[in-house]
Amino acid sequence: QVQLVESGGGSVQAGGSLRLSCTASGYRVGTYCMAWFRQSPGKDREGVASVNNYGNTNYADSVKGRFTISLGIAKNTLYLQMNNLKPEDTAMYYCAAERRIAVCSGNPNYWGKGTQVTVSS
């Protein structure tokens, strides 16, 4: 029954911003680990950011200082604020949730379908 639906992707120029949203159903955000992943053609899927049940966050080095993961409890939504976007950020972004507390393992139990982010020079 758990469903994760991403939105907010699009095409922007380098230096621009996007805010991705992941609305969850059948699952209360913040209960366990939630995360954003991304994948572009020819590359492995990589973890972008995660937040555990205590609100602790982790970020890939490539996005530190530019991206912010947060929880919108009232709307049962996970967000990813993406600032100062670079062409290398171009990828399909996926929302994910893992039934794990304290430490996110990087092996989610649930995935969204993804939302495309394209950053042009």
Side-chain angles (χ1 to χ4, degrees):
Q1 268 194 312
V2 175
Q3 288 188 313
L4 304 173
V5 181
E6 303 96 335
S7 63
S11 298
V12 297
Q13 291 184 316
S17 298
L18 285 173
R19 189 195 195 197
L20 305 184
S21 298
C22 171
T23 300
S25 60
Y27 174 80
R28 172 57 62 184
V29 302
T31 303
Y32 304 113
C33 178
M34 296 198 76
W36 289 95
F37 292 80
R38 67 185 181 186
Q39 187 170 28
S40 58
K43 287 187 173 182
D44 293 332
R45 184 178 63 203
E46 64 174 335
V48 176
S50 66
V51 56
N52 70 4
N53 57 299
Y54 298 115
N56 302 127
T57 59
N58 283 296
Y59 298 92
D61 288 341
S62 60
V63 306
K64 286 182 179 177
R66 299 189 298 119
F67 291 9
T68 302
I69 188 171
S70 61
L71 295 167
I73 302 299
K75 294 185 176 182
N76 207 38
T77 299
L78 177 74
Y79 300 101
L80 184 68
Q81 180 65 46
M82 309 164 69
N83 297 326
N84 192 24
L85 284 161
K86 304 176 180 180
E88 65 191 40
D89 295 317
T90 296
M92 183 72 73
Y93 283 71
Y94 298 91
C95 173
E98 181 183 11
R99 297 193 302 270
R100 188 183 178 102
I101 61 172
V103 178
C104 304
S105 73
N107 296 293
N109 302 104
Y110 310 105
W111 293 90
K113 298 295 184 182
T115 184
Q116 179 67 40
V117 171
T118 302
V119 185
S120 59
S121 300

